[in-house]
Amino acid sequence: MGSHLVTLFVILPLAAAFLNLLIGRKMKGAPDILANLATLALLIASVFSVFAVAKNGIFVYKVGSWVPPIGIAMVLDGLAAFMLVTVNLVAFLCTVYSVNYMEKFTSKWSFYTLFLLMLAGMNGVIISGDMFNLFVFLEIASVASYALVAFGTEHEELEATFKYMVMGTVGSLFILLGIALMYSYTSTLNMADISLTLAQKGLGNITLFVSILFIAGFGLKAALVPFHAWLPDAHPSAPAPISAMLSGVLIKSLGIYTIVRVLYNVIGVTKEFTNILLVLGVLSMIVGALLAMGQWDLKRLLAYSSISQVGYIILGIGIGTPLAIMGALFHLFNHSVFKSLLFLNSGAIEYASGTRDMRLMGGLREKLPITGWTSLIASMSIAGVPPFNGFFSKLIIIFAAVQAGYIGYGFWAALVSVLTLAYFISVQKNVFFGAPSKAMLSGRDVAKWDDIKEPPLFMRLSMIALAIICIFGGLLLIPAVSGNFLNAATEALTAGRDYANTIFGSLGL
Amino acid sequence: MYLYFLCLILFIVGIYCILRKRNLIKIIIGIIIAEYAVNLFFALAGYRIDGRAPIYSQDQAIANMVDPLPQALVLTAIVIGLAVTAMMVAIAIRIYEKYGTFDITKIRKLHG
């Protein structure tokens, strides 16, 4: 046991992806079993890692036994464990969903291979303790996600993928340039060592420039507002489980996690950076919500709403008090749960009715009761209605904003929450309540009303599981229930540049 | 110093190409140029003028040595760039099959 656990998060999905490629083409059904077993094992390992971190503190794995800062380090601390649980939970439920959903595509095995590669990349980004290694994992996840967005190879998918690829590659270029400048200033790539060197040399203009490159590069991956143009095309074009993965966890692990880790733990957060984050956060929140209101395509609406919710997380990070950071991280977890649930719902609706246009729907609650109920729970949750998890995280963020003296930002957060409620009520009204549309009764352009039925078992199972997490997610705030899950992650961030001392301390240097 | 300046010009040429060109293939070429500019910059960051290869030997005083690490990293970055380029060209070919054109102003099925 011990630090070898850390490598599991990269090795397992990589090995499963490779095996899938070998046996998937010949054996029918094997890819389903293999991918689900792999993601289940990862989920169990990540939950286990939370308790291991709570008990032992930080784990540092020395790749090839080279001692950092010379060798590459893989670090599992409170924040990494928290992110791993979020990513692997959503990944497991998405693979369960894909068992039935992906039947209509021809090569399921290649889908699972790409899915597992993307998962390996995301887990790698989270546990990497080395800047360049982080870049490599980030590119693995990005390239796999480009291929997954284009999986349908129809007109819209290809067009969206090209846009996504160009923007994503430019983002990666900024990140690489930032790493190059950082290396030429500090002569090291290890994150902990960079932080120590910066503490000695002081933050010059070059660090400011590097931080701006990182905010632009990682902000492109996270789709913050001036860099958001690719997201509303790319996320709806992918197959539903991939939309859920992209909106649920990819933009968070490649975008938000990396921004937060680099700014808080490596460079050290200052007033200028938090002001940039506050402005970007509020801008994303408002612009995302306003653009979402005018959409008739269900998945496109959800994609715009992702931009708006990511704004909340960045706002919480920007406020920077421990309470705000906890609220932001809790909202990150909640958003990955309810947004992936909403995307899976939209997939189920498309599977049953053959359309994503809300004008052609109506009254589907009668035909799809499970999809209807889980979607209602997710909508209420994202809008911040009291018993569900989204309420608590938004409340904490708004409360922390007011407490820290940012009353204006708190007001905007509350207002956007009302807008969110408005457009999700309109989704519920158009899709699930009311009378069935004329198009549906006549069966023109969409499936005929009498032929619409609930999606198959595995799709229902994963939607129900996510809805249960939405209902009881608020309980995670109680430390006795969550096993110090949120607090450990918050402490890892608020410790700031003590991160370096923790890592070198655990190595005994 | 002028080397860094040329590097910057190369980067700007690449970014200009990405932003202003309408042909998919030209956009891809722009990305490649910008990528090479960043790689070149990274390699230059470790370069010393009249430096020698960083091979340690007993009888030589090591005074002016080229940093080997950026070269190794750039090699990795080039391989990643190759994968992305291959992927992009593949997508561009599929787009050509569907739309019959490489002109981005004519490839507009998505709204908004």
Side-chain angles (χ1 to χ4, degrees), chain A residues 132 135-136 139 143 146-147 150 153-156 158-163 165-166 169-170 173-174 176-177 179-181 183-184 189 233 237 295 297 300 304, chain B residues 11 15 18 24 27-28 31 34-35 38-39 41-42 45 67 69-70 73-74 76-77 80 83-84 87-88 91-92 94-95 98-99 107-112:
Chain A
F132 194 76
F135 172 74
V136 172
E139 283 293 271
V143 173
Y146 303 151
T153 61
E154 288 303 321
H155 290 80
E156 288 87 355
L158 293 169
E159 189 188 333
T161 311
F162 197 80
K163 203 170 176 184
M165 284 184 87
V166 172
T169 316
V170 172
L173 281 180
F174 282 134
L176 186 60
L177 193 60
I179 293 172
L181 282 166
Y183 178 76
S184 62
L189 286 166
D233 291 338
S237 300
Q295 299 300 322
D297 181 335
R300 213 174 162 80
Y304 276 117
Chain B
F11 187 70
I15 295 290
I18 297 169
L24 292 187
I27 294 175
I28 295 173
I31 288 177
E35 212 168 73
V38 174
N39 287 343
F41 175 78
F42 208 162
D67 186 351
L69 191 62
L73 300 180
V74 164
T76 317
I80 293 170
V84 175
M87 181 79 205
M88 259 192 279
I91 296 284
R94 293 301 278 271
I95 288 179
K98 293 277 178 194
Y99 288 85
I107 304 170
R108 280 200 177 275
K109 281 246 167 175
L110 293 167
H111 45 85

Side-chain angles (χ1 to χ4, degrees), chain B residues 21-57:
Chain B
K21 292 292 164 190
R22 289 157 142 210
N23 190 312
L24 292 187
I25 301 296
K26 286 184 183 165
I27 294 175
I28 295 173
I29 292 172
I31 288 177
I32 297 170
I33 293 172
E35 212 168 73
Y36 279 13
V38 174
N39 287 343
L40 183 63
F41 175 78
F42 208 162
L44 278 177
Y47 184 71
R48 298 285 169 276
I49 292 165
D50 297 328
R52 63 178 206 57
I55 300 165
Y56 180 71
S57 58

Side-chain angles (χ1 to χ4, degrees), chain A residues 144-462:
Chain A
S145 74
Y146 303 151
L148 282 167
V149 170
F151 202 74
T153 61
E154 288 303 321
H155 290 80
E156 288 87 355
E157 278 96 336
L158 293 169
E159 189 188 333
T161 311
F162 197 80
K163 203 170 176 184
Y164 177 28
M165 284 184 87
V166 172
M167 304 274 279
T169 316
V170 172
S172 304
L173 281 180
F174 282 134
I175 296 166
L176 186 60
L177 193 60
I179 293 172
L181 282 166
M182 194 59 127
Y183 178 76
S184 62
Y185 185 59
T186 60
S187 316
T188 176
L189 286 166
N190 186 289
M191 289 192 204
D193 205 32
I194 289 177
S195 155
L196 281 186
T197 318
L198 285 180
Q200 279 167 14
K201 279 189 150 180
L203 304 168
N205 282 335
I206 191 148
T207 341
L208 192 67
F209 184 57
V210 168
S211 322
I212 288 167
L213 282 176
F214 280 151
I215 289 177
F218 294 130
L220 258 164
K221 302 275 177 194
L224 294 178
V225 144
F227 320 111
H228 70 285
W230 58 272
L231 187 141
D233 291 338
H235 287 195
S237 300
I242 296 306
S243 308
M245 282 297 279
L246 293 180
S247 253
V249 289
L250 189 87
I251 53 173
K252 306 205 179 66
S253 56
L254 300 193
I256 297 169
Y257 166 80
T258 41
I259 286 182
V260 167
R261 179 68 98 192
V262 169
L263 282 192
Y264 273 78
N265 289 147
V266 178
I267 295 176
V269 72
T270 59
K271 196 76 186 158
E272 293 100 56
F273 300 144
T274 54
N275 283 340
I276 294 175
L277 290 182
L278 281 172
V279 171
L280 286 179
V282 171
L283 214 60
S284 305
M285 227 159 64
I286 297 167
V287 172
L290 289 178
L291 287 172
M293 295 190 85
Q295 299 300 322
W296 283 109
D297 181 335
L298 179 54
K299 281 175 98 175
R300 213 174 162 80
L301 182 145
L302 294 177
Y304 276 117
S305 128
S306 281
I307 299 175
S308 164
Q309 301 298 314
V310 161
Y312 273 98
I313 302 169
I314 292 292
L315 176 70
I317 297 294
I319 295 168
T321 56
L323 186 69
I325 291 175
M326 193 183 83
L329 290 174
F330 191 40
H331 197 66
L332 190 155
F333 176 79
N334 291 340
H335 181 248
S336 23
V337 172
F338 51 63
K339 187 47 65 68
S340 45
L341 175 53
L342 283 165
F343 267 116
L344 296 185
N345 286 143
S346 76
I349 294 166
E350 202 184 351
Y351 188 91
S353 73
T355 183
R356 298 197 316 230
D357 191 334
M358 290 196 287
R359 281 168 294 195
L360 300 179
M361 300 173 191
L364 282 173
R365 212 173 162 68
E366 194 183 313
K367 290 283 182 181
L368 309 169
I370 292 174
T371 314
W373 275 111
T374 49
S375 163
L376 184 65
I377 290 169
S379 300
M380 292 302 107
S381 194
I382 194 171
V385 172
F388 303 111
N389 58 1
F391 167 72
F392 295 103
S393 49
K394 283 189 181 177
L395 186 71
I396 293 173
I397 292 174
I398 294 170
F399 185 68
V402 173
Q403 200 185 34
Y406 296 112
I407 295 171
Y409 291 121
F411 167 74
W412 283 113
L415 186 74
V416 170
S417 189
V418 175
L419 289 182
T420 312
L421 184 64
Y423 63 74
F424 273 101
I425 283 178
S426 122
V427 168
Q428 290 295 323
K429 181 177 137 283
N430 283 316
V431 178
F432 290 109
F433 290 89
S437 66
K438 282 203 187 81
M440 237 163 210
L441 289 175
S442 65
R444 204 177 56 237
D445 301 330
V446 289
K448 213 165 159 40
W449 177 249
D450 298 324
D451 299 338
I452 294 175
K453 53 178 189 292
E454 253 328 330
L457 174 69
F458 286 111
M459 283 165 76
R460 272 178 281 164
L461 271 183
S462 65

